[in-house]
Amino acid sequence: MKQTALHDDVTRGEILTRASVFIAPEYVREETLDTVSQWMKSSSPEPMVFRNFLRPEAAAVTAAALRALPVWSRHVTAYYSQTETEIIDEADWADHPQRAACHYVAQPLTAALADGAMAAQHQTSLRRFLKFAVLTNGLRDWVSLGTGVRLSPKECSVEFAAYGRGDQIRPHQDLFPRRVLGGNLYLDEEHRSDTGGRLGFRLEGGEETMVEPAFNTFSLFPIRPDAHHWVEPFQRDTTGRYTVSFGLHRAE
């Protein structure tokens, strides 16, 4: 296996070894990375979808931790520009001309990690997942290795979201400085194909692509001026579509 360093102090082999603790074996093989590389080079890439992305035990305990989070709150926003958004009253959502997102967000995550905030096993699972996905850049480095894009270790944003009936995110672009990729990890074991909440993606002049948020699926999609993505209305009476969303930025 080639041992080229994508980052100054981490080799290819080290990245794959670290990723394999959470990511399923089929996705840390060279042939998978080659597929990701070809996808990234495409002039009109649709979202790339990885089913059964995490190792089964990692997916199960992380999903349980998300359900147990004590910091879920309603998050309803209006969108005016890439740098200007506003929290609005949920009662104003339906008629607001700039309505953007309506769902639950877990914030602040630091409160969930405080002593006694939630069951110890869920805190442990949450800490391990955050270490893999954000703090040690395990997920970022895996994406960087596959795409060939040198990603910033300091600008990997992460958000935990969940949806109730009718919740959605309207079409938008996420054109933040140097953001090149978006990713979603879906962790709702009760998801059914008739409950909506699919990720929509469209390049200007192209057809829409819809991604089913099946349990333990990771979707990766490009952030470009000619690309829009959204979440269609969720249609279930119980809270679901538990999602970890990532924003990945090109290194300076």
Side-chain angles (χ1 to χ4, degrees):
M1 178 181 293
K2 185 168 56 176
Q3 293 292 308
T4 303
L6 192 64
H7 306 285
D8 293 340
D9 57 349
V10 184
T11 68
R12 188 180 187 91
E14 290 168 339
I15 290 172
L16 294 178
T17 297
R18 188 165 58 191
S20 67
V21 174
F22 264 80
I23 298 175
E26 65 186 282
Y27 296 126
V28 293
R29 297 171 182 161
E30 289 296 328
E31 50 265 39
T32 300
L33 297 175
D34 289 342
T35 300
V36 176
S37 176
Q38 293 304 312
W39 169 83
M40 190 66 189
K41 294 174 183 176
S42 171
S43 61
S44 56
E46 299 177 348
M48 192 163 195
V49 179
F50 306 86
R51 303 295 185 190
N52 301 311
F53 182 66
L54 299 183
R55 289 179 175 271
E57 176 62 19
V61 298
T62 305
L66 262 63
R67 288 185 177 275
L69 283 169
V71 291
W72 290 113
S73 61
R74 295 298 284 164
H75 185 74
V76 184
T77 61
Y79 173 90
Y80 302 102
S81 70
Q82 291 297 331
T83 58
E84 186 181 3
T85 60
E86 178 186 14
I87 302 296
I88 62 174
D89 191 292
E90 188 165 0
D92 299 329
W93 160 265
D95 298 321
H96 199 293
Q98 302 300 125
R99 62 189 186 277
C102 180
H103 54 20
Y104 295 94
V105 172
Q107 58 183 359
L109 280 175
T110 52
L113 297 173
D115 290 344
M118 57 193 298
Q121 71 268 28
H122 294 319
Q123 280 192 332
T124 297
S125 298
L126 185 62
R127 289 180 186 278
R128 287 175 177 169
F129 177 79
L130 289 173
K131 181 178 180 180
F132 155 73
V134 183
L135 299 180
T136 63
N137 297 307
L139 179 62
R140 182 217 61 172
D141 285 349
W142 177 85
V143 173
S144 191
L145 190 63
T147 61
V149 178
R150 193 177 178 93
L151 298 170
S152 171
K154 298 179 180 180
E155 294 183 274
C156 178
S157 66
V158 61
E159 178 181 84
F160 288 15
Y163 292 68
R165 178 171 285 278
D167 285 354
Q168 61 179 289
I169 301 178
R170 292 173 62 81
H172 62 290
Q173 296 168 288
D174 284 349
L175 296 176
F176 300 104
R178 295 187 306 282
R179 183 171 294 188
V180 290
L181 292 164
N184 291 311
L185 175 63
Y186 306 113
L187 290 171
D188 181 5
E189 314 98 307
E190 298 178 5
H191 173 77
R192 302 192 314 268
S193 59
D194 61 351
T195 54
R198 294 179 300 172
L199 170 72
F201 178 86
R202 182 184 67 250
L203 289 172
E204 290 180 5
E207 296 182 357
E208 294 182 357
T209 299
M210 306 301 292
V211 178
E212 193 75 37
F215 176 68
N216 197 14
T217 292
F218 181 61
S219 62
L220 190 66
F221 54 92
I223 302 297
R224 297 174 12 175
D226 62 344
H228 291 74
H229 59 279
W230 62 94
V231 175
E232 68 178 3
F234 184 69
Q235 302 295 339
R236 198 172 80 201
D237 290 331
T238 55
T239 303
R241 200 187 185 276
Y242 290 92
T243 308
V244 187
S245 296
F246 301 92
L248 299 164
H249 299 73
R250 187 185 301 274
E252 294 185 87

